[in-house]
Amino acid sequence: MSDVNGKPRRRYQSSVREEGAQRTRRAIVAAAGELFVERGYVVTSLAEIGAAAGVARPTVFAAFGSKPALLKQVLDQALAGDDEPVAVADRPWFRPVWDATTPGAVLDAYADACVVIARRAALLFETVRRAADDAPEVAELWDTLQRNRRAGAAMVVRHVQTLGDLAPPLDTESATDVLWIYNDPGHHAALVSQRGWPEDAFRRWLATSMRRALLPG
């Protein structure tokens, strides 16, 4: 409450509006993610996303500006786990990678992180890959995703190298290429979603494969 000058009440009302806008954005992102995966990016309209989220198309446009921008937000949120502006590498669930004290432990922790990401984002990655053939703006996003995956692999390889040696004849670049292949969420989609592997079995396979490929025998 406030007096006739009104400032405390105004701050309260502004906070309520911000919370409402945040809930709306989250509902739109959730609806968009489901529809993009179920129907495909190209054929899904902002109007359909708005209807699924319980808002009008202009609200979707006002919140995100365009369908490509909305797709990017859906992906960013799936990769990170929420809409907080914190990089994946700085997330608490990624911290074990940096805390590990041996090369093998780094790769084990990174396998865990890859599973966390793939669980949320594997189907979206496949949606973007398919849409990239028909939508130039999505092709650009797909290229960005590939570069970001490789940059993540490079960070992990450099950390491994601070703790021990790579398997010969690997160097930083070639080891990064190898780890970039293994951190693809498509492996999770193929083995867990399609072939029905238990997720823990997939995690063990991924960690073992990373160790064998990157570390000395």
Side-chain angles (χ1 to χ4, degrees):
M1 300 296 291
S2 68
D3 58 18
V4 292
N5 292 323
K7 288 190 176 180
R9 178 185 294 274
R10 186 168 299 168
R11 284 196 298 270
Y12 169 76
Q13 292 172 339
S14 175
S15 176
V16 169
R17 284 196 299 271
E18 289 174 4
E19 290 175 3
Q22 187 91 337
R23 286 194 298 270
T24 297
R25 285 176 60 88
R26 288 172 178 166
I28 292 170
V29 167
E34 290 180 6
L35 289 175
F36 288 154
V37 168
E38 290 173 4
R39 303 190 55 202
Y41 170 83
V42 174
V43 301
T44 301
S45 69
L46 292 183
E48 290 167 330
I49 293 168
V55 300
R57 182 191 182 282
T59 301
V60 179
F61 185 82
F64 296 98
S66 67
K67 192 163 72 165
L70 175 54
L71 176 61
K72 182 178 184 304
Q73 180 61 33
V74 170
L75 275 164
D76 288 348
Q77 196 161 314
L79 289 168
D82 56 45
D83 55 2
E84 294 298 320
V86 179
V88 165
D90 296 328
R91 295 275 169 167
W93 50 266
F94 203 90
R95 188 71 235 171
V97 175
W98 310 128
D99 291 341
T101 57
T102 66
V106 170
L107 295 178
D108 288 346
Y110 188 53
D112 289 342
C114 288
V115 169
V116 169
I117 291 172
R119 185 187 303 138
R120 295 190 296 249
L123 295 180
L124 282 167
F125 264 67
E126 178 62 15
T127 297
V128 175
R129 186 192 66 78
R130 292 179 180 179
D133 293 334
D134 301 312
E137 70 277 12
V138 181
E140 183 177 347
L141 177 59
W142 178 247
D143 288 343
T144 299
L145 285 173
Q146 304 315 301
R147 289 194 299 271
N148 288 347
R149 278 204 305 109
R150 194 180 186 283
M155 286 193 304
V156 174
V157 167
R158 288 193 294 269
H159 184 42
V160 166
Q161 289 179 289
T162 67
L163 300 171
D165 296 327
L166 297 171
L170 292 176
D171 58 14
T172 302
E173 287 297 303
S174 57
T176 296
D177 289 339
V178 170
L179 198 58
W180 174 65
I181 294 298
Y182 279 116
N183 73 13
D184 187 346
H187 299 312
H188 185 280
L191 294 176
V192 177
S193 299
Q194 294 180 30
R195 296 300 306 152
W197 280 31
E199 197 169 75
D200 191 56
F202 172 78
R203 187 204 64 78
R204 290 195 303 270
W205 168 81
L206 186 61
T208 299
S209 298
M210 288 177 175
R211 280 172 169 258
R212 287 175 176 169
L214 267 69
L215 304 183

